[in-house]
Amino acid sequence: MTTPLHASPVSTDDIVQALTAIVGPQACLTQAPDLKPFVTDYRGLYVGQAAAVVLPNSTQQVSQVMAWCHAHGVVVVPQGGNTSLMGGAVPEAQASSPAVVLNLRRMNQVLAVDTVNDTLTLQAGVTLNAARSAAEDAGRLFPLRIGSEGSCQIGGNISTNAGGTAVLRYGNMRDLVLGVEAVLPDGRIYSGLRGLRKDNTGYDLKQLFIGSEGTLGIVTAAVLKLMPQPTASSVALAAVASPAAAVALLGEAKKTAGQAVTAFELISGPALDLVLGYLGNVKSPFEARHDWMVLIELTSGASAEGLDATLMQVLEAGLDSGLVLDATLAQSGADAQTFWRIREEISDAQTRTGGSIKCDVSVPLSRIAAFIDEATAAVLALEPQTRMIVYGHMGDGNVHFNPLRPADRPAKDYLAAFYEPISRQVDSLAHAAGGSISAEHGVGVAKRDDLSHYKSDVELALMWQIKNALDPQGLLNPGKVLPAPVAAPVVAQA
Amino acid sequence: MTTPLHASPVSTDDIVQALTAIVGPQACLTQAPDLKPFVTDYRGLYVGQAAAVVLPNSTQQVSQVMAWCHAHGVVVVPQGGNTSLMGGAVPEAQASSPAVVLNLRRMNQVLAVDTVNDTLTLQAGVTLNAARSAAEDAGRLFPLRIGSEGSCQIGGNISTNAGGTAVLRYGNMRDLVLGVEAVLPDGRIYSGLRGLRKDNTGYDLKQLFIGSEGTLGIVTAAVLKLMPQPTASSVALAAVASPAAAVALLGEAKKTAGQAVTAFELISGPALDLVLGYLGNVKSPFEARHDWMVLIELTSGASAEGLDATLMQVLEAGLDSGLVLDATLAQSGADAQTFWRIREEISDAQTRTGGSIKCDVSVPLSRIAAFIDEATAAVLALEPQTRMIVYGHMGDGNVHFNPLRPADRPAKDYLAAFYEPISRQVDSLAHAAGGSISAEHGVGVAKRDDLSHYKSDVELALMWQIKNALDPQGLLNPGKVLPAPVAAPVVAQA
């Protein structure tokens, strides 16, 4: 650790005065009611403290804010749409020194759309929806698709390497970023807004800012890849015999439809039950109740009829071989929307029910069926009435494995009894199967200390080596991602 | 800079004794004739000096070698197939202390093929050809395709983020790597051999080792993505009116054939002339001579007839609109092979001719045609008889822009007069167009000092921050990639 540049801690007044001079009084919030939405996380689980919220309108202003905070030892927490499920975008509750939240929402300009190079250049505060619309207006697709797309921002998508329902075909956010502009912890600007598919001139510095959750720099702009707009899609729901049958059906789909397989989402029986309970006007697509279902989407630039025929071929092969128990192909856009709505409402239905234990794990596809079986058995051994809400992006090996309280048991009670043991069991089984304990949701504060259990000492040490190299004072989004150093020489005193 | 751990430089005898104890006498080469192929680069332009060449057969041995060299301040140069075009894999000629070449050829085991997870796990010394064969034997495709595939190794492909002729569809090596195992400069082992498509548990450390040319760690094993094997391909050569017409035709191809467009390679008239001069038994596919041609390859899992029809549709639209002047569709696998042979022999034909100035540049597709026109005019203004060998992966915005000496002028004479001014002009024009001066060949020693001109101070400083964080003694592949620090506080004394 290097010695901070600042001699003594600055006061909140100093901070407000300095930052107001940079961004103007309208863009420097200081009153408690104004601060509240910026210091409270999406799920209301984490409430932090901040001296001020600044809303810069240019990279230059971000740079000036960072330079001042760096010189005065002030913590900065970067924030986009504040949709983190991990408490990654709000300040710590009990910080030793005052923090500033730097929200990028005013930097919301689409800077360029290039339909020859197939790139989109935009500021970090553009929402994912707005980015998708800009692409669509130009006759192109920006393929990232996640639940919070109306409010999450591109800068946050990059900083958290967002995933979602189209990763199977198009990859994660990391795969969709060609160039990044970022402000470093000391205020310097890394200008990497290049739209190149090939560039081997030294270290690929943009990778530092993708997925590091704002702990190494603040993404202020980016160049994203655009894709051809699919002209056709075909969607089906299929009831399958088991998780293993789902994996085998995915193999069939990839063999038959190749890269047209765009989404392959698992839905457990209890997840469907839960959603149908809330969506009063939607009926089950199946006559019988099934334990496991998958939503399959194919897209391509070819004809819709051809695509439907391909998907039917996959489903019929599955019915013949016993992998598929029942299946229904969307006969219209409205059908397809209903199928997707069932899938996408699972998350909200859990929130409204309360008392779910969210494990966002990934496992190699060759081991995912066994993992689901084992983890389910482990959970039910602890509490047999638990509702097994298991769903998500099976095509990527990623399932949201979210045990939910029994209907007659209060959420608080269930979580108090089972949050710890169930999380630990599920994560440990995923880890033992060569998997990840956070496939797409990131680390933030919620999973930070868990990394100590599941990362090697070498991995943790490397993370700290990088963090210390770029942010030696530890002023950028402290308390996130990195667990306390393994061999920290500091003795904690209460 | 930290203080080296070693008190005084060790002798060559010390080095040989210590490393022989680790890898055994057969795997520690010390005699000049044995060292020669390991210290001489692929093109014979760089000849370095080494105290020894070690050929470890396990990650553990690599770790032990690195730990010993780290403790004794000995430079290590990692080496795969030694096919770098940039002098990236051989030691420096005039080093201040003796170097060890660590070649990975003995670590050539395919460790696992998983056809459910679609992954290939292998040691770093497996050749690209062997990796492709292992995938093919399992009914899968490993899509990286470069000229040196018979001798280059996967570890080198990762360390240099290799590109090639299928990047348009499948991406660079960075996009094909799921997990990496690497030995750090101090001998610690980073164990990241995970086969996950989604893993957001902290910094994505494998990115550090991809494309950093062995300056941050030695890749010892990897998990690679496998793709479905295409069942059909369709290949055509088309003469086009200009580079701009080539770009427009690519747009047509992407619109009509979508992701089936696998390769889109530019070939200039002089490049075709040169190749046909060497390949006595191959005739031009065109009756007339043309200034610009493109090789287009579509691949898919559908039928060959359908793919041929799609490609014909692209070509006919091009003929109608005047983009295409003439075109020929491969009628057989032999035809397709001939077309590809013409393209692939361009590199060798230049080597045999001698006197070419190799610029491996990329530019956004929206600016590449103007770049080619401007750079051509700039070169011809300097020497109007220069043969404009311009070819390569236009689909990725990457061209090998290689001005070649006039037929009647000696290579040495031409290079002495024009190497510097032409390289500088071409690179500057690419840079001015938002491009890269090394699209896929990397930096090594050859382009190292050029980075000072084309990278910002912030980029160079960030590269050094990372390098110093991981290799504070500067013992791993020194003299490569990173130009001398901009603001080095050390005053050089002769």
Side-chain angles (χ1 to χ4, degrees):
Chain A
M1 290 286 179
T2 59
T3 314
L5 301 176
H6 43 98
S8 60
V10 291
S11 70
T12 296
D13 283 352
D14 294 338
I15 295 172
V16 171
Q17 196 185 342
L19 301 188
T20 300
I22 296 169
V23 298
Q26 301 301 317
C28 184
L29 313 179
T30 58
Q31 301 303 307
D34 296 336
L35 299 186
K36 196 177 169 201
F38 297 92
V39 299
T40 310
D41 90 311
Y42 180 69
R43 295 198 286 168
L45 299 178
Y46 300 94
V47 182
Q49 289 196 315
V53 172
V54 287
L55 303 155
N57 68 6
S58 68
T59 303
Q60 214 53 45
Q61 284 190 355
V62 176
S63 167
Q64 288 167 9
V65 168
M66 292 306 296
W68 190 88
C69 290
H70 177 257
H72 296 84
V74 174
V75 158
V76 176
V77 177
Q79 188 178 78
N82 194 14
T83 61
S84 171
L85 298 173
M86 294 292 162
V90 293
E92 293 177 289
Q94 303 202 316
S96 51
S97 59
V100 170
V101 173
L102 191 157
N103 186 292
L104 289 118
R105 66 161 65 158
R106 289 176 69 212
M107 293 178 59
N108 61 358
Q109 301 300 304
V110 173
L111 303 174
V113 185
D114 183 336
T115 55
V116 176
N117 198 41
D118 279 336
T119 47
L120 180 63
T121 306
L122 31 62
Q123 290 185 306
V126 173
T127 64
L128 176 52
N129 247 354
R132 287 177 58 93
S133 295
E136 201 177 326
D137 292 347
R140 296 291 184 276
L141 173 73
F142 180 67
L144 193 76
R145 206 163 65 182
I146 60 180
S148 57
E149 65 182 47
S151 47
C152 68
Q153 297 172 11
I154 292 297
N157 298 150
I158 293 172
S159 302
T160 59
N161 186 28
T165 55
V167 171
L168 179 56
R169 175 156 184 174
Y170 297 106
N172 296 288
M173 191 64 174
R174 189 182 297 279
D175 303 300
L176 303 173
V177 177
L178 289 177
V180 159
E181 177 191 76
V183 174
L184 302 178
D186 58 10
R188 288 177 301 163
I189 300 169
Y190 161 68
S191 301
L193 278 189
R194 282 178 282 267
L196 301 174
R197 264 115 186 134
K198 279 184 172 175
D199 180 15
N200 277 346
T201 50
Y203 303 166
D204 189 2
L205 297 169
K206 69 173 176 289
Q207 304 296 341
L208 291 169
F209 308 105
I210 304 174
S212 54
E213 304 190 25
T215 61
L216 299 177
I218 302 181
V219 174
T220 48
V223 182
L224 306 178
K225 286 183 199 170
L226 296 178
M227 307 290 173
Q229 241 173 5
T231 52
S233 78
S234 182
V235 177
L237 273 174
V240 291
S242 63
V247 172
L249 184 64
L250 173 61
E252 282 294 325
K254 288 199 279 192
K255 209 169 85 183
T256 309
Q259 287 190 300
V261 185
T262 304
F264 193 94
E265 299 278 318
L266 184 71
I267 302 172
S268 70
L272 182 63
D273 299 341
L274 189 74
V275 165
L276 294 178
Y278 280 103
L279 300 176
N281 55 343
V282 174
K283 282 206 295 192
S284 172
F286 302 106
E287 289 190 14
R289 188 184 176 287
H290 297 282
D291 288 337
W292 297 102
M293 289 142 288
V294 292
L295 185 160
I296 311 175
E297 181 178 275
L298 308 186
T299 63
S300 83
S303 76
E305 296 74 27
L307 217 50
D308 278 350
T310 304
L311 189 46
M312 280 303 294
Q313 192 186 331
V314 173
L315 296 171
E316 279 164 11
L319 284 160
D320 287 348
S321 62
L323 298 174
V324 174
L325 305 176
D326 194 2
T328 170
L329 187 77
Q331 300 297 322
S332 65
D335 277 2
Q337 273 184 5
T338 302
F339 292 179
W340 268 113
R341 193 167 165 218
I342 288 171
R343 161 64 189 82
E344 284 171 348
E345 290 289 335
I346 299 173
S347 179
D348 262 11
Q350 287 177 98
T351 306
R352 287 193 272 177
T353 308
S356 77
I357 298 168
K358 295 186 193 301
C359 304
D360 170 36
V361 298
S362 64
V363 170
L365 268 170
S366 44
R367 303 175 74 173
I368 200 167
F371 160 78
I372 292 174
D373 292 343
E374 287 166 30
T376 299
V379 169
L380 295 179
L382 288 166
E383 165 50 277
Q385 299 307 313
T386 293
R387 289 173 281 181
M388 297 305 301
I389 311 297
V390 180
Y391 67 104
H393 324 302
M394 182 175 245
D396 318 313
N398 175 202
V399 286
H400 302 307
F401 193 95
N402 297 354
L404 178 71
R405 67 175 173 86
D408 57 1
R409 189 155 182 184
K412 208 171 160 182
D413 176 26
Y414 180 76
L415 294 179
F418 296 111
Y419 184 87
E420 281 294 323
I422 284 185
S423 304
R424 188 61 57 94
Q425 282 263 23
V426 174
D427 286 352
S428 295
L429 286 167
H431 183 72
S436 166
I437 64 160
S438 191
E440 57 178 18
H441 292 169
V443 179
V445 136
K447 287 275 176 190
R448 182 194 61 195
D449 293 335
D450 294 334
L451 294 200
S452 303
H453 299 291
Y454 299 111
K455 292 274 175 186
S456 70
D457 289 352
V458 172
E459 289 172 293
L460 295 172
L462 270 175
M463 284 173 59
W464 274 111
Q465 282 173 269
I466 301 298
K467 172 70 174 174
N468 288 333
L470 268 73
D471 183 20
Q473 291 191 80
L475 295 176
L476 196 50
N477 213 10
K480 314 294 163 54
V481 184
L482 301 106
V486 182
V490 182
V491 178
Q493 293 185 331
Chain B
M1 291 284 179
T2 58
T3 313
L5 302 177
H6 43 97
S8 61
V10 291
S11 70
T12 296
D13 282 354
D14 294 339
I15 295 172
V16 170
Q17 196 184 341
L19 301 187
T20 299
I22 297 169
V23 298
Q26 301 300 318
C28 184
L29 313 179
T30 57
Q31 301 303 306
D34 295 337
L35 300 185
K36 197 177 168 200
F38 297 92
V39 298
T40 309
D41 90 311
Y42 179 67
R43 295 199 286 167
L45 299 178
Y46 300 94
V47 182
Q49 289 196 314
V53 172
V54 287
L55 302 156
N57 69 5
S58 70
T59 302
Q60 215 52 46
Q61 284 191 354
V62 176
S63 167
Q64 288 167 7
V65 168
M66 291 307 296
W68 190 88
C69 289
H70 178 255
H72 296 84
V74 174
V75 158
V76 176
V77 177
Q79 189 178 78
N82 194 12
T83 61
S84 171
L85 297 173
M86 292 293 163
V90 293
E92 293 177 289
Q94 303 202 318
S96 50
S97 58
V100 171
V101 173
L102 191 157
N103 187 293
L104 290 118
R105 66 162 65 158
R106 289 176 70 212
M107 293 177 60
N108 61 358
Q109 301 300 305
V110 172
L111 303 174
V113 185
D114 183 336
T115 55
V116 176
N117 198 39
D118 280 335
T119 47
L120 179 63
T121 306
L122 31 62
Q123 290 185 306
V126 173
T127 64
L128 175 52
N129 247 355
R132 288 177 56 95
S133 295
E136 202 177 325
D137 291 347
R140 295 294 184 274
L141 173 73
F142 180 68
L144 192 75
R145 204 162 65 183
I146 60 179
S148 56
E149 65 184 46
S151 47
C152 68
Q153 297 173 10
I154 291 298
N157 298 151
I158 293 172
S159 301
T160 59
N161 185 29
T165 55
V167 171
L168 178 57
R169 176 155 185 175
Y170 297 105
N172 297 287
M173 191 65 174
R174 188 182 299 277
D175 303 300
L176 304 173
V177 177
L178 290 177
V180 159
E181 177 191 77
V183 174
L184 302 179
D186 58 9
R188 287 177 301 164
I189 299 170
Y190 161 69
S191 301
L193 279 190
R194 283 178 281 267
L196 301 173
R197 263 110 186 139
K198 279 183 171 175
D199 180 15
N200 278 344
T201 50
Y203 303 166
D204 189 1
L205 297 169
K206 69 173 175 285
Q207 304 297 340
L208 292 170
F209 308 106
I210 303 174
S212 55
E213 305 189 24
T215 61
L216 299 177
I218 302 181
V219 174
T220 47
V223 183
L224 306 178
K225 286 184 198 168
L226 297 179
M227 308 290 172
Q229 241 173 6
T231 52
S233 78
S234 181
V235 177
L237 272 174
V240 291
S242 62
V247 172
L249 184 65
L250 173 61
E252 281 295 325
K254 287 200 280 192
K255 208 170 85 183
T256 309
Q259 288 190 300
V261 185
T262 304
F264 192 94
E265 299 279 317
L266 183 70
I267 302 172
S268 70
L272 182 63
D273 299 341
L274 189 73
V275 165
L276 295 178
Y278 280 102
L279 300 177
N281 55 341
V282 174
K283 282 207 296 190
S284 172
F286 302 107
E287 289 189 14
R289 189 184 175 286
H290 296 283
D291 287 338
W292 296 103
M293 290 143 286
V294 292
L295 184 161
I296 312 175
E297 181 177 275
L298 308 186
T299 63
S300 84
S303 75
E305 296 73 28
L307 217 50
D308 278 349
T310 304
L311 188 48
M312 280 304 293
Q313 193 185 331
V314 172
L315 296 172
E316 278 163 12
L319 283 161
D320 287 349
S321 62
L323 297 175
V324 173
L325 306 176
D326 194 2
T328 171
L329 186 77
Q331 300 298 321
S332 64
D335 277 3
Q337 274 187 3
T338 301
F339 293 179
W340 268 113
R341 192 167 165 218
I342 288 171
R343 160 63 189 84
E344 285 173 348
E345 289 289 335
I346 298 173
S347 180
D348 263 10
Q350 287 178 96
T351 305
R352 286 194 271 177
T353 307
S356 77
I357 299 168
K358 294 186 194 300
C359 304
D360 170 37
V361 298
S362 64
V363 169
L365 268 171
S366 44
R367 301 176 76 175
I368 199 168
F371 160 77
I372 292 174
D373 292 344
E374 286 166 31
T376 300
V379 169
L380 295 180
L382 287 167
E383 166 50 279
Q385 299 307 312
T386 294
R387 288 174 282 181
M388 297 306 301
I389 311 297
V390 179
Y391 68 103
H393 324 301
M394 183 175 245
D396 318 314
N398 176 201
V399 287
H400 301 308
F401 193 95
N402 296 355
L404 178 70
R405 68 174 172 87
D408 56 1
R409 191 154 180 185
K412 207 170 160 183
D413 176 26
Y414 179 76
L415 294 178
F418 295 112
Y419 184 88
E420 281 295 323
I422 284 183
S423 305
R424 186 63 57 94
Q425 282 262 22
V426 173
D427 285 353
S428 295
L429 287 168
H431 183 72
S436 165
I437 64 159
S438 191
E440 57 177 17
H441 292 169
V443 178
V445 134
K447 287 274 177 191
R448 181 194 63 195
D449 294 334
D450 293 335
L451 292 199
S452 303
H453 300 291
Y454 299 111
K455 292 274 175 186
S456 70
D457 288 353
V458 172
E459 288 171 294
L460 294 173
L462 271 174
M463 282 173 58
W464 274 111
Q465 281 172 270
I466 301 300
K467 172 70 175 176
N468 288 333
L470 268 75
D471 183 20
Q473 293 191 79
L475 295 177
L476 196 50
N477 213 9
K480 313 294 163 55
V481 185
L482 301 107
V486 183
V490 181
V491 179
Q493 293 185 329

